[in-house]
């Protein structure tokens, strides 16, 4: 890989910024100053920028507790995005695995691992996603039955069977919903189809990955080795 691309990929500036630094002699490869941006490097080379080692990171994995008010996108002309919250990211090619609505909180995996993302989102893999919701309206055993049957969302096919657990039933009901697919606004639309409105929604888990409840909205951390391994092997 070219030296300028290496530094750029590692978040050390734009291509033209890192080229300038290289030409100024601020970069060493294995102890020797290299002034050619096109110089070929290998992740095993010891590369320093202004005396500071820059190690190569290929894949990154962050668990974010998404707050309300940010969009699940890599960039947006007007709104803050979930990627703006990951302050110490190394890679420039991170993206959120799936989308949560702007007003939805909770678990969002941010990575640049396209294969893992594909396996978690593929409709054929049926990865469970569990949400906590506050719902306006009385949620009853009849709703539980209808969710289990597959709610008609007015699309070609009804929603796949989903598990609805009632934690508290009342004017506002507190529930857990587990889905095996991820259609647009799915939880909100399933409740709307049955005459209820979701007032608050938070994702708690995706496959084996559970939201670390010590993360406040807007906070994030790297996945542990074990979390990553379980996600990759599909173990819970
Ligand atoms: N279902 C919704 O309605 N919104 C989300 O953000 C996620 C699932």
């Amino acid at each position: 890989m070219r030296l300028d691309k290496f530094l750029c990929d590692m978040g050390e500036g734009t291509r033209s910024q890192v080229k300038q630094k290289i030409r100024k002699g601020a970069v060493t490869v294995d102890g020797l100053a290299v002034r050619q941006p096109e110089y070929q490097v290998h992740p095993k080379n010891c590369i320093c920028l202004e005396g500071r080692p820059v190690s190569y990171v290929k894949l990154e994995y962050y668990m974010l507790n998404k707050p309300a008010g940010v969009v699940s996108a890599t960039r947006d002309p007007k709104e803050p995005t979930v990627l703006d919250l990951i302050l110490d990211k190394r890679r420039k090619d991170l993206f959120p695995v799936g989308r949560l609505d702007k007003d939805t909180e909770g678990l969002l995996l941010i990575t640049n691992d396209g294969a893992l993302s594909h396996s978690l989102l593929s409709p054929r893999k049926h990865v469970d996603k569990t949400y906590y919701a506050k719902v306006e309206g009385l949620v009853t055993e009849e709703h539980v039955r209808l969710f289990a049957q597959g709610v008609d969302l007015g699309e070609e096919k009804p929603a796949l069977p989903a598990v609805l657990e009632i934690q508290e039933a009342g004017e506002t009901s507190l529930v857990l919903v587990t889905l095996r697919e991820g259609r647009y606004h799915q939880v909100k639309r399933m409740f709307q189809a049955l005459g209820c409105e979701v007032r608050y929604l938070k994702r708690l888990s995706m496959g084996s990955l559970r939201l670390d409840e010590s993360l406040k909205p807007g906070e994030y951390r790297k996945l542990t080795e074990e979390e990553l391994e379980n996600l990759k092997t599909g173990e819970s």
Side-chain angles (χ1 to χ4, degrees):
M1 180 190 306
R2 288 173 59 117
L3 179 56
D4 56 353
K5 178 165 168 31
F6 173 96
L7 291 169
C8 195
D9 279 359
M10 292 306 105
E12 296 295 348
T14 62
R15 199 71 171 243
S16 60
Q17 285 168 339
V18 300
K19 272 183 183 171
Q20 256 188 348
K21 289 180 189 174
I22 296 168
R23 290 204 174 102
K24 273 193 343 205
V27 179
T28 56
V29 178
D30 297 335
L32 296 174
V34 170
R35 290 170 188 266
Q36 298 85 33
E38 66 281 7
Y39 187 86
Q40 290 292 315
V41 291
H42 187 271
K44 282 188 187 147
N45 287 129
C46 174
I47 295 164
C48 292
L49 173 60
E50 285 149 0
R52 169 176 54 84
V54 181
S55 57
Y56 189 70
V57 177
K58 193 161 178 228
L59 294 169
E60 286 191 288
Y61 304 88
Y62 295 97
M63 170 192 296
L64 170 69
N65 184 356
K66 179 192 171 296
V70 297
V71 294
S72 300
T74 51
R75 60 180 68 176
D76 190 279
K78 291 193 214 107
E79 312 276 3
T81 75
V82 290
L83 282 177
D84 296 331
L85 299 172
I86 312 293
L87 300 178
D88 53 359
K89 55 184 174 287
R90 301 285 309 279
R91 301 279 320 191
K92 286 184 314 167
D93 52 357
L94 297 177
F95 57 86
V97 176
R99 283 169 188 270
L100 292 176
D101 297 337
K102 188 175 165 190
D103 60 352
T104 300
E105 294 186 357
L107 177 66
L108 196 60
L109 174 62
I110 311 263
T111 183
N112 59 334
D113 187 338
L116 179 65
S117 169
H118 178 75
S119 79
L120 291 171
L121 297 179
S122 164
R124 277 181 292 129
K125 296 277 171 80
H126 290 178
V127 172
D128 281 354
K129 280 143 294 221
T130 299
Y131 297 84
Y132 166 77
K134 287 185 193 166
V135 178
E136 199 176 289
L138 182 66
V139 177
T140 65
E141 288 306 317
E142 180 60 4
H143 291 96
V144 174
R145 196 183 63 74
L146 291 167
F147 268 56
Q149 201 174 287
V151 175
D152 182 0
L153 295 171
E155 293 175 356
E156 199 187 331
K157 287 187 186 160
L160 290 178
V163 179
L164 173 60
E165 292 166 66
I166 304 173
Q167 291 192 325
E168 248 180 74
E171 261 174 56
T172 300
S173 302
L174 309 181
V175 299
L176 293 176
V177 182
T178 301
L179 304 180
R180 322 205 97 187
E181 54 185 344
R183 299 193 204 180
Y184 183 63
H185 293 332
Q186 184 161 351
V187 175
K188 293 173 186 164
R189 286 166 60 221
M190 284 169 76
F191 278 105
Q192 264 163 8
L194 305 181
C196 299
E197 277 299 320
V198 172
R199 293 295 177 213
Y200 173 80
L201 190 60
K202 175 178 180 180
R203 182 156 64 191
L204 302 180
S205 68
M206 184 177 202
S208 60
L209 190 62
R210 311 242 181 295
L211 177 67
D212 179 339
E213 291 288 349
S214 72
L215 296 173
K216 299 196 184 81
E219 290 184 345
Y220 65 92
R221 66 160 169 80
K222 288 189 173 160
L223 290 201
T224 64
E225 299 272 329
E226 192 184 354
E227 284 168 336
L228 182 57
E229 188 59 28
N230 289 342
L231 262 190
K232 286 184 174 172
T233 56
E235 278 174 30
S236 50

